[in-house]
PDB file of all heavy atoms in Angstrom:
ATOM      1  N   GLU B 156      -5.649 -16.357 -10.595  1.00 72.00           N
ATOM      2  CA  GLU B 156      -5.729 -15.414  -9.481  1.00 72.00           C
ATOM      3  C   GLU B 156      -4.385 -14.695  -9.326  1.00 72.00           C
ATOM      4  O   GLU B 156      -3.337 -15.307  -9.392  1.00 72.00           O
ATOM      5  CB  GLU B 156      -6.069 -16.149  -8.192  1.00 72.00           C
ATOM      6  CG  GLU B 156      -6.281 -15.227  -7.002  1.00 72.00           C
ATOM      7  CD  GLU B 156      -6.533 -16.001  -5.714  1.00 72.00           C
ATOM      8  OE1 GLU B 156      -6.753 -17.217  -5.768  1.00 72.00           O
ATOM      9  OE2 GLU B 156      -6.506 -15.371  -4.643  1.00 72.00           O
ATOM     10  N   LEU B 157      -4.472 -13.392  -9.158  1.00 81.00           N
ATOM     11  CA  LEU B 157      -3.263 -12.601  -8.986  1.00 81.00           C
ATOM     12  C   LEU B 157      -2.732 -12.764  -7.575  1.00 81.00           C
ATOM     13  O   LEU B 157      -3.457 -12.550  -6.617  1.00 81.00           O
ATOM     14  CB  LEU B 157      -3.572 -11.132  -9.246  1.00 81.00           C
ATOM     15  CG  LEU B 157      -4.251 -10.836 -10.571  1.00 81.00           C
ATOM     16  CD1 LEU B 157      -4.586  -9.361 -10.682  1.00 81.00           C
ATOM     17  CD2 LEU B 157      -3.405 -11.282 -11.734  1.00 81.00           C
ATOM     18  N   LYS B 158      -1.479 -13.146  -7.459  1.00 90.00           N
ATOM     19  CA  LYS B 158      -0.902 -13.350  -6.130  1.00 90.00           C
ATOM     20  C   LYS B 158       0.470 -12.710  -6.050  1.00 90.00           C
ATOM     21  O   LYS B 158       1.249 -12.760  -7.006  1.00 90.00           O
ATOM     22  CB  LYS B 158      -0.770 -14.834  -5.823  1.00 90.00           C
ATOM     23  CG  LYS B 158      -2.061 -15.517  -5.435  1.00 90.00           C
ATOM     24  CD  LYS B 158      -1.795 -16.929  -4.951  1.00 90.00           C
ATOM     25  CE  LYS B 158      -3.073 -17.577  -4.471  1.00 90.00           C
ATOM     26  NZ  LYS B 158      -2.860 -18.976  -4.050  1.00 90.00           N
ATOM     27  N   VAL B 159       0.746 -12.129  -4.891  1.00 93.00           N
ATOM     28  CA  VAL B 159       2.073 -11.595  -4.602  1.00 93.00           C
ATOM     29  C   VAL B 159       2.496 -12.182  -3.264  1.00 93.00           C
ATOM     30  O   VAL B 159       1.801 -12.006  -2.267  1.00 93.00           O
ATOM     31  CB  VAL B 159       2.061 -10.055  -4.521  1.00 93.00           C
ATOM     32  CG1 VAL B 159       3.457  -9.531  -4.220  1.00 93.00           C
ATOM     33  CG2 VAL B 159       1.540  -9.455  -5.823  1.00 93.00           C
ATOM     34  N   GLU B 160       3.613 -12.892  -3.270  1.00 94.00           N
ATOM     35  CA  GLU B 160       4.065 -13.558  -2.059  1.00 94.00           C
ATOM     36  C   GLU B 160       5.426 -13.035  -1.647  1.00 94.00           C
ATOM     37  O   GLU B 160       6.342 -12.941  -2.475  1.00 94.00           O
ATOM     38  CB  GLU B 160       4.141 -15.071  -2.275  1.00 94.00           C
ATOM     39  CG  GLU B 160       2.777 -15.697  -2.507  1.00 94.00           C
ATOM     40  CD  GLU B 160       2.857 -17.209  -2.664  1.00 94.00           C
ATOM     41  OE1 GLU B 160       3.965 -17.725  -2.867  1.00 94.00           O
ATOM     42  OE2 GLU B 160       1.803 -17.855  -2.600  1.00 94.00           O
ATOM     43  N   GLN B 161       5.545 -12.709  -0.371  1.00 95.00           N
ATOM     44  CA  GLN B 161       6.820 -12.274   0.162  1.00 95.00           C
ATOM     45  C   GLN B 161       7.334 -13.323   1.131  1.00 95.00           C
ATOM     46  O   GLN B 161       6.559 -13.950   1.850  1.00 95.00           O
ATOM     47  CB  GLN B 161       6.660 -10.959   0.934  1.00 95.00           C
ATOM     48  CG  GLN B 161       6.537  -9.744   0.070  1.00 95.00           C
ATOM     49  CD  GLN B 161       6.420  -8.473   0.866  1.00 95.00           C
ATOM     50  OE1 GLN B 161       5.404  -7.795   0.777  1.00 95.00           O
ATOM     51  NE2 GLN B 161       7.438  -8.138   1.657  1.00 95.00           N
ATOM     52  N   ASN B 162       8.628 -13.443   1.172  1.00 95.00           N
ATOM     53  CA  ASN B 162       9.235 -14.233   2.235  1.00 95.00           C
ATOM     54  C   ASN B 162      10.626 -13.719   2.542  1.00 95.00           C
ATOM     55  O   ASN B 162      11.291 -13.158   1.659  1.00 95.00           O
ATOM     56  CB  ASN B 162       9.224 -15.726   1.880  1.00 95.00           C
ATOM     57  CG  ASN B 162      10.152 -16.037   0.736  1.00 95.00           C
ATOM     58  OD1 ASN B 162      11.351 -16.229   0.927  1.00 95.00           O
ATOM     59  ND2 ASN B 162       9.604 -16.076  -0.458  1.00 95.00           N
ATOM     60  N   TYR B 177      12.441 -11.545  -0.416  1.00 98.00           N
ATOM     61  CA  TYR B 177      12.025 -11.983  -1.745  1.00 98.00           C
ATOM     62  C   TYR B 177      10.556 -11.667  -1.985  1.00 98.00           C
ATOM     63  O   TYR B 177       9.717 -11.783  -1.077  1.00 98.00           O
ATOM     64  CB  TYR B 177      12.243 -13.486  -1.899  1.00 98.00           C
ATOM     65  CG  TYR B 177      13.693 -13.879  -1.788  1.00 98.00           C
ATOM     66  CD1 TYR B 177      14.255 -14.179  -0.546  1.00 98.00           C
ATOM     67  CD2 TYR B 177      14.503 -13.927  -2.915  1.00 98.00           C
ATOM     68  CE1 TYR B 177      15.591 -14.521  -0.440  1.00 98.00           C
ATOM     69  CE2 TYR B 177      15.845 -14.279  -2.814  1.00 98.00           C
ATOM     70  CZ  TYR B 177      16.376 -14.575  -1.570  1.00 98.00           C
ATOM     71  OH  TYR B 177      17.709 -14.910  -1.469  1.00 98.00           O
ATOM     72  N   CYS B 178      10.254 -11.311  -3.223  1.00 97.00           N
ATOM     73  CA  CYS B 178       8.885 -11.012  -3.622  1.00 97.00           C
ATOM     74  C   CYS B 178       8.607 -11.738  -4.938  1.00 97.00           C
ATOM     75  O   CYS B 178       9.205 -11.414  -5.969  1.00 97.00           O
ATOM     76  CB  CYS B 178       8.706  -9.509  -3.797  1.00 97.00           C
ATOM     77  SG  CYS B 178       7.101  -8.999  -4.451  1.00 97.00           S
ATOM     78  N   ASN B 179       7.739 -12.739  -4.876  1.00 96.00           N
ATOM     79  CA  ASN B 179       7.334 -13.487  -6.067  1.00 96.00           C
ATOM     80  C   ASN B 179       5.922 -13.092  -6.465  1.00 96.00           C
ATOM     81  O   ASN B 179       5.070 -12.878  -5.600  1.00 96.00           O
ATOM     82  CB  ASN B 179       7.338 -14.989  -5.767  1.00 96.00           C
ATOM     83  CG  ASN B 179       8.719 -15.539  -5.581  1.00 96.00           C
ATOM     84  OD1 ASN B 179       9.212 -15.574  -4.471  1.00 96.00           O
ATOM     85  ND2 ASN B 179       9.345 -15.931  -6.666  1.00 96.00           N
ATOM     86  N   TYR B 180       5.672 -13.038  -7.761  1.00 94.00           N
ATOM     87  CA  TYR B 180       4.327 -12.700  -8.205  1.00 94.00           C
ATOM     88  C   TYR B 180       3.899 -13.646  -9.312  1.00 94.00           C
ATOM     89  O   TYR B 180       4.720 -14.283  -9.970  1.00 94.00           O
ATOM     90  CB  TYR B 180       4.225 -11.231  -8.634  1.00 94.00           C
ATOM     91  CG  TYR B 180       5.246 -10.783  -9.641  1.00 94.00           C
ATOM     92  CD1 TYR B 180       4.952 -10.775 -10.995  1.00 94.00           C
ATOM     93  CD2 TYR B 180       6.500 -10.337  -9.234  1.00 94.00           C
ATOM     94  CE1 TYR B 180       5.884 -10.339 -11.921  1.00 94.00           C
ATOM     95  CE2 TYR B 180       7.436  -9.910 -10.152  1.00 94.00           C
ATOM     96  CZ  TYR B 180       7.124  -9.909 -11.488  1.00 94.00           C
ATOM     97  OH  TYR B 180       8.052  -9.492 -12.413  1.00 94.00           O
ATOM     98  N   SER B 181       2.578 -13.727  -9.506  1.00 92.00           N
ATOM     99  CA  SER B 181       2.023 -14.877 -10.233  1.00 92.00           C
ATOM    100  C   SER B 181       1.850 -14.695 -11.731  1.00 92.00           C
ATOM    101  O   SER B 181       1.691 -15.675 -12.447  1.00 92.00           O
ATOM    102  CB  SER B 181       0.668 -15.255  -9.633  1.00 92.00           C
ATOM    103  OG  SER B 181      -0.241 -14.181  -9.785  1.00 92.00           O
ATOM    104  N   THR B 182       1.876 -13.461 -12.220  1.00 86.00           N
ATOM    105  CA  THR B 182       1.665 -13.298 -13.654  1.00 86.00           C
ATOM    106  C   THR B 182       2.399 -12.054 -14.151  1.00 86.00           C
ATOM    107  O   THR B 182       2.978 -11.313 -13.362  1.00 86.00           O
ATOM    108  CB  THR B 182       0.164 -13.246 -13.986  1.00 86.00           C
ATOM    109  OG1 THR B 182      -0.004 -13.285 -15.407  1.00 86.00           O
ATOM    110  CG2 THR B 182      -0.473 -11.981 -13.473  1.00 86.00           C
ATOM    111  N   THR B 183       2.353 -11.852 -15.438  1.00 84.00           N
ATOM    112  CA  THR B 183       3.159 -10.788 -16.045  1.00 84.00           C
ATOM    113  C   THR B 183       2.839  -9.426 -15.452  1.00 84.00           C
ATOM    114  O   THR B 183       1.682  -9.063 -15.295  1.00 84.00           O
ATOM    115  CB  THR B 183       2.908 -10.765 -17.556  1.00 84.00           C
ATOM    116  OG1 THR B 183       3.137 -12.078 -18.069  1.00 84.00           O
ATOM    117  CG2 THR B 183       3.865  -9.797 -18.233  1.00 84.00           C
ATOM    118  N   SER B 184       3.887  -8.687 -15.161  1.00 82.00           N
ATOM    119  CA  SER B 184       3.730  -7.367 -14.554  1.00 82.00           C
ATOM    120  C   SER B 184       4.510  -6.332 -15.337  1.00 82.00           C
ATOM    121  O   SER B 184       5.518  -6.661 -15.972  1.00 82.00           O
ATOM    122  CB  SER B 184       4.245  -7.389 -13.117  1.00 82.00           C
ATOM    123  OG  SER B 184       4.391  -6.075 -12.621  1.00 82.00           O
ATOM    124  N   ASP B 185       4.054  -5.081 -15.260  1.00 78.00           N
ATOM    125  CA  ASP B 185       4.824  -4.032 -15.918  1.00 78.00           C
ATOM    126  C   ASP B 185       5.487  -3.079 -14.931  1.00 78.00           C
ATOM    127  O   ASP B 185       6.206  -2.177 -15.345  1.00 78.00           O
ATOM    128  CB  ASP B 185       3.963  -3.249 -16.924  1.00 78.00           C
ATOM    129  CG  ASP B 185       2.787  -2.549 -16.261  1.00 78.00           C
ATOM    130  OD1 ASP B 185       2.582  -2.735 -15.048  1.00 78.00           O
ATOM    131  OD2 ASP B 185       2.071  -1.833 -16.977  1.00 78.00           O
ATOM    132  N   ARG B 186       5.260  -3.284 -13.620  1.00 87.00           N
ATOM    133  CA  ARG B 186       5.972  -2.461 -12.655  1.00 87.00           C
ATOM    134  C   ARG B 186       5.834  -3.057 -11.267  1.00 87.00           C
ATOM    135  O   ARG B 186       4.836  -3.720 -10.957  1.00 87.00           O
ATOM    136  CB  ARG B 186       5.470  -1.022 -12.665  1.00 87.00           C
ATOM    137  CG  ARG B 186       3.997  -0.840 -12.380  1.00 87.00           C
ATOM    138  CD  ARG B 186       3.558   0.530 -12.841  1.00 87.00           C
ATOM    139  NE  ARG B 186       2.223   0.878 -12.427  1.00 87.00           N
ATOM    140  CZ  ARG B 186       1.116   0.485 -13.063  1.00 87.00           C
ATOM    141  NH1 ARG B 186       1.189  -0.263 -14.133  1.00 87.00           N
ATOM    142  NH2 ARG B 186      -0.065   0.865 -12.621  1.00 87.00           N
ATOM    143  N   LEU B 187       6.850  -2.784 -10.465  1.00 93.00           N
ATOM    144  CA  LEU B 187       6.874  -3.320  -9.100  1.00 93.00           C
ATOM    145  C   LEU B 187       7.402  -2.230  -8.179  1.00 93.00           C
ATOM    146  O   LEU B 187       8.331  -1.500  -8.525  1.00 93.00           O
ATOM    147  CB  LEU B 187       7.764  -4.576  -9.034  1.00 93.00           C
ATOM    148  CG  LEU B 187       7.767  -5.335  -7.701  1.00 93.00           C
ATOM    149  CD1 LEU B 187       7.816  -6.835  -7.937  1.00 93.00           C
ATOM    150  CD2 LEU B 187       8.867  -4.888  -6.791  1.00 93.00           C
ATOM    151  N   TRP B 189       8.464  -1.111  -4.025  1.00 97.00           N
ATOM    152  CA  TRP B 189       8.792  -1.466  -2.645  1.00 97.00           C
ATOM    153  C   TRP B 189       8.426  -0.286  -1.751  1.00 97.00           C
ATOM    154  O   TRP B 189       8.745   0.872  -2.057  1.00 97.00           O
ATOM    155  CB  TRP B 189      10.269  -1.800  -2.482  1.00 97.00           C
ATOM    156  CG  TRP B 189      10.638  -3.148  -2.991  1.00 97.00           C
ATOM    157  CD1 TRP B 189      11.163  -3.461  -4.210  1.00 97.00           C
ATOM    158  CD2 TRP B 189      10.521  -4.389  -2.286  1.00 97.00           C
ATOM    159  NE1 TRP B 189      11.362  -4.818  -4.314  1.00 97.00           N
ATOM    160  CE2 TRP B 189      10.988  -5.414  -3.137  1.00 97.00           C
ATOM    161  CE3 TRP B 189      10.067  -4.749  -1.011  1.00 97.00           C
ATOM    162  CZ2 TRP B 189      11.016  -6.755  -2.768  1.00 97.00           C
ATOM    163  CZ3 TRP B 189      10.087  -6.081  -0.652  1.00 97.00           C
ATOM    164  CH2 TRP B 189      10.560  -7.067  -1.513  1.00 97.00           C
ATOM    165  N   ASN B 207      12.835  -5.390 -16.791  1.00 85.00           N
ATOM    166  CA  ASN B 207      13.633  -6.547 -16.435  1.00 85.00           C
ATOM    167  C   ASN B 207      15.085  -6.131 -16.225  1.00 85.00           C
ATOM    168  O   ASN B 207      15.653  -5.403 -17.041  1.00 85.00           O
ATOM    169  CB  ASN B 207      13.542  -7.607 -17.534  1.00 85.00           C
ATOM    170  CG  ASN B 207      14.223  -8.888 -17.122  1.00 85.00           C
ATOM    171  OD1 ASN B 207      14.067  -9.340 -15.987  1.00 85.00           O
ATOM    172  ND2 ASN B 207      14.988  -9.463 -18.030  1.00 85.00           N
ATOM    173  N   GLY B 208      15.662  -6.587 -15.144  1.00 87.00           N
ATOM    174  CA  GLY B 208      17.040  -6.245 -14.859  1.00 87.00           C
ATOM    175  C   GLY B 208      17.215  -4.928 -14.130  1.00 87.00           C
ATOM    176  O   GLY B 208      18.339  -4.546 -13.798  1.00 87.00           O
ATOM    177  N   SER B 219      15.999  -5.180  -6.901  1.00 96.00           N
ATOM    178  CA  SER B 219      16.193  -5.624  -8.271  1.00 96.00           C
ATOM    179  C   SER B 219      14.957  -6.344  -8.760  1.00 96.00           C
ATOM    180  O   SER B 219      14.123  -6.791  -7.966  1.00 96.00           O
ATOM    181  CB  SER B 219      17.412  -6.546  -8.365  1.00 96.00           C
ATOM    182  OG  SER B 219      17.173  -7.730  -7.642  1.00 96.00           O
ATOM    183  N   LEU B 220      14.857  -6.455 -10.086  1.00 95.00           N
ATOM    184  CA  LEU B 220      13.672  -7.057 -10.681  1.00 95.00           C
ATOM    185  C   LEU B 220      14.080  -8.014 -11.789  1.00 95.00           C
ATOM    186  O   LEU B 220      14.850  -7.647 -12.689  1.00 95.00           O
ATOM    187  CB  LEU B 220      12.754  -5.972 -11.246  1.00 95.00           C
ATOM    188  CG  LEU B 220      11.474  -6.442 -11.932  1.00 95.00           C
ATOM    189  CD1 LEU B 220      10.569  -7.210 -10.968  1.00 95.00           C
ATOM    190  CD2 LEU B 220      10.722  -5.258 -12.537  1.00 95.00           C
ATOM    191  N   ASP B 221      13.546  -9.226 -11.733  1.00 94.00           N
ATOM    192  CA  ASP B 221      13.712 -10.223 -12.794  1.00 94.00           C
ATOM    193  C   ASP B 221      12.312 -10.588 -13.267  1.00 94.00           C
ATOM    194  O   ASP B 221      11.622 -11.393 -12.636  1.00 94.00           O
ATOM    195  CB  ASP B 221      14.448 -11.447 -12.242  1.00 94.00           C
ATOM    196  CG  ASP B 221      14.677 -12.514 -13.293  1.00 94.00           C
ATOM    197  OD1 ASP B 221      14.016 -12.476 -14.349  1.00 94.00           O
ATOM    198  OD2 ASP B 221      15.500 -13.406 -13.072  1.00 94.00           O
ATOM    199  N   THR B 222      11.896 -10.005 -14.373  1.00 91.00           N
ATOM    200  CA  THR B 222      10.516 -10.212 -14.827  1.00 91.00           C
ATOM    201  C   THR B 222      10.304 -11.617 -15.384  1.00 91.00           C
ATOM    202  O   THR B 222       9.191 -12.135 -15.341  1.00 91.00           O
ATOM    203  CB  THR B 222      10.134  -9.191 -15.904  1.00 91.00           C
ATOM    204  OG1 THR B 222      11.069  -9.273 -16.985  1.00 91.00           O
ATOM    205  CG2 THR B 222      10.143  -7.782 -15.339  1.00 91.00           C
ATOM    206  N   LYS B 223      11.373 -12.241 -15.866  1.00 92.00           N
ATOM    207  CA  LYS B 223      11.222 -13.600 -16.395  1.00 92.00           C
ATOM    208  C   LYS B 223      10.956 -14.591 -15.275  1.00 92.00           C
ATOM    209  O   LYS B 223      10.145 -15.512 -15.418  1.00 92.00           O
ATOM    210  CB  LYS B 223      12.461 -13.988 -17.194  1.00 92.00           C
ATOM    211  CG  LYS B 223      12.642 -13.159 -18.463  1.00 92.00           C
ATOM    212  CD  LYS B 223      13.892 -13.537 -19.215  1.00 92.00           C
ATOM    213  CE  LYS B 223      14.036 -12.642 -20.451  1.00 92.00           C
ATOM    214  NZ  LYS B 223      15.304 -12.913 -21.177  1.00 92.00           N
ATOM    215  N   ALA B 224      11.633 -14.396 -14.163  1.00 94.00           N
ATOM    216  CA  ALA B 224      11.414 -15.248 -12.997  1.00 94.00           C
ATOM    217  C   ALA B 224      10.245 -14.766 -12.156  1.00 94.00           C
ATOM    218  O   ALA B 224       9.853 -15.433 -11.197  1.00 94.00           O
ATOM    219  CB  ALA B 224      12.673 -15.304 -12.143  1.00 94.00           C
ATOM    220  N   ARG B 225       9.699 -13.608 -12.470  1.00 94.00           N
ATOM    221  CA  ARG B 225       8.620 -12.982 -11.696  1.00 94.00           C
ATOM    222  C   ARG B 225       9.060 -12.834 -10.240  1.00 94.00           C
ATOM    223  O   ARG B 225       8.361 -13.254  -9.305  1.00 94.00           O
ATOM    224  CB  ARG B 225       7.322 -13.760 -11.826  1.00 94.00           C
ATOM    225  CG  ARG B 225       6.809 -13.772 -13.250  1.00 94.00           C
ATOM    226  CD  ARG B 225       5.582 -14.606 -13.408  1.00 94.00           C
ATOM    227  NE  ARG B 225       5.199 -14.700 -14.809  1.00 94.00           N
ATOM    228  CZ  ARG B 225       4.333 -15.593 -15.275  1.00 94.00           C
ATOM    229  NH1 ARG B 225       3.741 -16.442 -14.455  1.00 94.00           N
ATOM    230  NH2 ARG B 225       4.042 -15.603 -16.561  1.00 94.00           N
ATOM    231  N   LEU B 226      10.228 -12.228 -10.086  1.00 96.00           N
ATOM    232  CA  LEU B 226      10.848 -12.143  -8.773  1.00 96.00           C
ATOM    233  C   LEU B 226      11.524 -10.790  -8.602  1.00 96.00           C
ATOM    234  O   LEU B 226      12.223 -10.312  -9.493  1.00 96.00           O
ATOM    235  CB  LEU B 226      11.904 -13.244  -8.626  1.00 96.00           C
ATOM    236  CG  LEU B 226      12.818 -13.187  -7.406  1.00 96.00           C
ATOM    237  CD1 LEU B 226      12.019 -13.471  -6.141  1.00 96.00           C
ATOM    238  CD2 LEU B 226      13.971 -14.173  -7.566  1.00 96.00           C
ATOM    239  N   SER B 227      11.294 -10.200  -7.433  1.00 97.00           N
ATOM    240  CA  SER B 227      12.050  -9.028  -7.037  1.00 97.00           C
ATOM    241  C   SER B 227      12.709  -9.315  -5.701  1.00 97.00           C
ATOM    242  O   SER B 227      12.168 -10.065  -4.877  1.00 97.00           O
ATOM    243  CB  SER B 227      11.153  -7.802  -6.924  1.00 97.00           C
ATOM    244  OG  SER B 227      11.892  -6.665  -6.519  1.00 97.00           O
ATOM    245  N   THR B 228      13.876  -8.737  -5.503  1.00 97.00           N
ATOM    246  CA  THR B 228      14.565  -8.881  -4.232  1.00 97.00           C
ATOM    247  C   THR B 228      14.874  -7.511  -3.647  1.00 97.00           C
ATOM    248  O   THR B 228      15.111  -6.545  -4.374  1.00 97.00           O
ATOM    249  CB  THR B 228      15.881  -9.668  -4.389  1.00 97.00           C
ATOM    250  OG1 THR B 228      16.734  -8.962  -5.293  1.00 97.00           O
ATOM    251  CG2 THR B 228      15.630 -11.070  -4.892  1.00 97.00           C
ATOM    252  N   CYS B 244       6.204  -5.349  -0.908  1.00 96.00           N
ATOM    253  CA  CYS B 244       6.284  -5.168  -2.346  1.00 96.00           C
ATOM    254  C   CYS B 244       4.863  -5.083  -2.889  1.00 96.00           C
ATOM    255  O   CYS B 244       3.920  -5.575  -2.266  1.00 96.00           O
ATOM    256  CB  CYS B 244       7.049  -6.289  -3.031  1.00 96.00           C
ATOM    257  SG  CYS B 244       6.299  -7.913  -2.906  1.00 96.00           S
ATOM    258  N   VAL B 246       2.690  -5.019  -6.809  1.00 92.00           N
ATOM    259  CA  VAL B 246       2.834  -5.306  -8.232  1.00 92.00           C
ATOM    260  C   VAL B 246       1.601  -4.833  -8.982  1.00 92.00           C
ATOM    261  O   VAL B 246       0.477  -4.999  -8.502  1.00 92.00           O
ATOM    262  CB  VAL B 246       3.027  -6.823  -8.459  1.00 92.00           C
ATOM    263  CG1 VAL B 246       3.240  -7.106  -9.935  1.00 92.00           C
ATOM    264  CG2 VAL B 246       4.195  -7.343  -7.649  1.00 92.00           C
ATOM    265  N   ALA B 247       1.835  -4.246 -10.150  1.00 86.00           N
ATOM    266  CA  ALA B 247       0.739  -3.923 -11.053  1.00 86.00           C
ATOM    267  C   ALA B 247       0.816  -4.882 -12.226  1.00 86.00           C
ATOM    268  O   ALA B 247       1.878  -5.055 -12.820  1.00 86.00           O
ATOM    269  CB  ALA B 247       0.841  -2.488 -11.530  1.00 86.00           C
ATOM    270  N   PHE B 248      -0.291  -5.514 -12.549  1.00 77.00           N
ATOM    271  CA  PHE B 248      -0.311  -6.509 -13.604  1.00 77.00           C
ATOM    272  C   PHE B 248      -0.804  -5.887 -14.895  1.00 77.00           C
ATOM    273  O   PHE B 248      -1.636  -4.986 -14.882  1.00 77.00           O
ATOM    274  CB  PHE B 248      -1.201  -7.678 -13.192  1.00 77.00           C
ATOM    275  CG  PHE B 248      -0.670  -8.403 -11.993  1.00 77.00           C
ATOM    276  CD1 PHE B 248      -1.123  -8.102 -10.734  1.00 77.00           C
ATOM    277  CD2 PHE B 248       0.298  -9.371 -12.138  1.00 77.00           C
ATOM    278  CE1 PHE B 248      -0.622  -8.773  -9.614  1.00 77.00           C
ATOM    279  CE2 PHE B 248       0.805 -10.045 -11.034  1.00 77.00           C
ATOM    280  CZ  PHE B 248       0.343  -9.738  -9.764  1.00 77.00           C
ATOM    281  N   PHE B 249      -0.294  -6.378 -16.006  1.00 71.00           N
ATOM    282  CA  PHE B 249      -0.686  -5.839 -17.308  1.00 71.00           C
ATOM    283  C   PHE B 249      -2.198  -5.824 -17.449  1.00 71.00           C
ATOM    284  O   PHE B 249      -2.877  -6.770 -17.140  1.00 71.00           O
ATOM    285  CB  PHE B 249      -0.084  -6.679 -18.435  1.00 71.00           C
ATOM    286  CG  PHE B 249       1.338  -6.332 -18.739  1.00 71.00           C
ATOM    287  CD1 PHE B 249       2.322  -7.292 -18.717  1.00 71.00           C
ATOM    288  CD2 PHE B 249       1.704  -5.032 -19.064  1.00 71.00           C
ATOM    289  CE1 PHE B 249       3.639  -6.974 -18.999  1.00 71.00           C
ATOM    290  CE2 PHE B 249       3.007  -4.704 -19.343  1.00 71.00           C
ATOM    291  CZ  PHE B 249       3.981  -5.685 -19.312  1.00 71.00           C
TER     292      PHE B 249
END
Side-chain angles (χ1 to χ4, degrees):
Chain B
E156 185 184 349
L157 307 177
K158 283 188 176 177
V159 180
E160 294 182 345
Q161 283 182 243
N162 68 84
Y177 297 89
C178 174
N179 290 91
Y180 52 95
S181 62
T182 188
T183 307
S184 166
D185 61 355
R186 58 198 189 278
L187 186 142
W189 283 97
N207 187 43
S219 65
L220 179 61
D221 181 343
T222 56
K223 294 179 182 176
R225 297 176 186 165
L226 171 68
S227 179
T228 60
C244 64
V246 183
F248 296 96
F249 278 125

